[in-house]
Amino acid sequence: MIYLIRHETRYLYSEPVARCHNEARLAPFDTLSQRCLEARLSVVPTVSQMVERTDFFGNRVWHFSIEDPHDSLVVTSSSRVEVSPETRELDFAADLDWETVAQNLSQDVTPQAIDARQFLLDSPLVQTSDALAEYARPSFPPGRPVLDAVRELMARIHAEFVYDPEFTDVATPLGVVMEHRRGVCQDFAHLAIGCLRSLGLAARYTSGYIETEPAPGTPRLEGADASHAWFDVYVPTRGWVDFDPTNNRMPWDQHIAVASGRDYSDVSPLKGILYGGGEHELEVSVDVSRVSA
């Protein structure tokens, strides 16, 4: 399957911006199940310079600067991605138990395990806690296969938390989300990550997109008109396995991954520094469409 993705971000400033420096993580990366065939970034007004690099987590990043005064900024990314869902034979009941996974992770010296261990640690937006471990505990009794436990945790978050795009923003603490049982995909991914790390399991945050128009006969997915988010758990025998608690499903052929990191702060689609500008209005639109190869 081939997907065309268009992600447009518009800023309108109440006062002129003298200059700005920005970075964008808007180009899907390559995985076993997806390949980015083309990715372009368009910026208005004209940039003074733009460079591309790969960050610490392996994500593609565009850096750009605008040196001329401006009162608006429009950033548009256009991508073409080939998705070839890998064949998964996930026998949830036959996997390693979660305690063994946690123990092996602390002892394994392979490069993959050493890299995964950084996702055990607290990060800017996700701190481990007894409360998060306690919330996760009913899904993680002694001896339970790890993926079976994670799948139940995902299902509980989906059932027990209300999707409410008006309740939180990027600065809302995880404790507030826990208390009020409301949030959006970002919050639910952070919640699951905090629960898993609090039990000694490595978990990371993935941002991306899901198909705007669902396949015939299937319900429309939450978060389809904006960037989406889910989480991955590391299992030594399998690598990273992803789960989408917002929609209570494992990402498959309708999900396109863009960036992975410790939490949202590592993968924000667009961020930067500006001089001036006053107040601003923000509009974001995303369209993901499936086309013929």
Side-chain angles (χ1 to χ4, degrees):
M1 290 170 287
I2 303 293
Y3 285 104
L4 298 181
I5 304 164
R6 187 176 186 275
H7 183 145
E8 182 178 275
T9 306
R10 290 178 172 268
Y11 287 96
L12 181 63
Y13 305 106
S14 61
E15 301 175 10
V17 174
R19 63 185 183 276
C20 65
H21 306 284
N22 308 273
E23 62 179 32
R25 289 171 174 80
L26 292 165
F29 53 62
D30 292 339
T31 70
L32 291 175
S33 60
Q34 74 175 39
R35 184 164 59 104
C36 185
L37 304 175
E38 182 183 6
R40 294 179 290 108
L41 191 72
S42 169
V43 181
V44 178
T46 303
V47 301
S48 57
Q49 61 177 339
M50 181 183 294
V51 296
E52 184 179 344
R53 70 175 179 89
T54 301
D55 71 11
F56 177 80
F57 299 104
N59 307 311
R60 295 175 63 181
V61 186
W62 281 295
H63 290 265
F64 64 90
S65 300
I66 301 173
E67 300 290 346
D68 297 323
H70 54 282
D71 55 15
S72 64
L73 173 65
V74 181
V75 180
T76 305
S77 69
S78 302
S79 305
R80 190 163 63 97
V81 183
E82 180 182 48
V83 177
S84 304
E86 57 193 290
T87 300
R88 299 186 183 185
E89 296 180 0
L90 297 180
D91 185 349
F92 290 92
D95 242 308
L96 292 172
D97 64 81
W98 69 271
E99 298 104 324
T100 298
V101 170
Q103 182 179 11
N104 288 353
L105 184 59
S106 66
Q107 300 172 352
D108 194 340
V109 294
T110 62
Q112 294 84 357
I114 292 173
D115 180 72
R117 281 205 283 270
Q118 67 185 303
F119 297 100
L120 287 167
L121 306 175
D122 287 354
S123 55
L125 298 177
V126 180
Q127 287 79 48
T128 56
S129 68
D130 291 340
L132 289 171
E134 198 62 30
Y135 179 79
R137 194 79 62 186
S139 300
F140 289 82
R144 188 171 193 178
V146 61
L147 292 183
D148 193 39
V150 176
R151 181 173 60 175
E152 182 180 298
L153 176 65
M154 172 184 70
R156 286 176 52 214
I157 292 173
H158 177 78
E160 297 171 9
F161 286 73
V162 176
Y163 185 86
D164 184 352
E166 303 299 323
F167 181 73
T168 61
D169 57 32
V170 296
T172 303
L174 194 49
V176 174
V177 176
M178 281 283 291
E179 179 183 357
H180 293 275
R181 296 291 200 268
R182 313 181 79 82
V184 293
C185 55
Q186 171 189 300
D187 304 304
F188 304 154
H190 283 159
L191 172 60
I193 290 167
C195 288
L196 295 172
R197 290 179 185 169
S198 296
L199 295 177
L201 297 169
R204 70 181 184 184
Y205 183 103
T206 294
S207 67
Y209 307 106
I210 51 179
E211 187 176 15
T212 305
E213 292 299 325
T218 61
R220 184 180 180 281
L221 299 177
E222 294 285 4
D225 293 324
S227 294
H228 193 46
W230 55 94
F231 72 92
D232 310 336
V233 62
Y234 181 77
V235 181
T237 55
R238 298 187 182 276
W240 292 102
V241 182
D242 40 357
F243 295 83
D244 178 359
T246 304
N247 293 293
N248 192 27
R249 59 182 292 176
M250 298 183 72
W252 193 239
D253 59 344
Q254 289 179 272
H255 288 67
I256 299 99
V258 172
S260 292
R262 298 166 301 168
D263 59 37
Y264 175 81
S265 65
D266 289 330
V267 303
S268 175
L270 185 64
K271 62 183 177 181
I273 298 172
L274 57 83
Y275 299 87
E279 301 294 325
H280 71 268
E281 297 178 10
L282 171 64
E283 294 181 2
V284 179
S285 63
V286 172
D287 183 66
V288 180
S289 57
R290 190 184 304 196
V291 299
S292 301

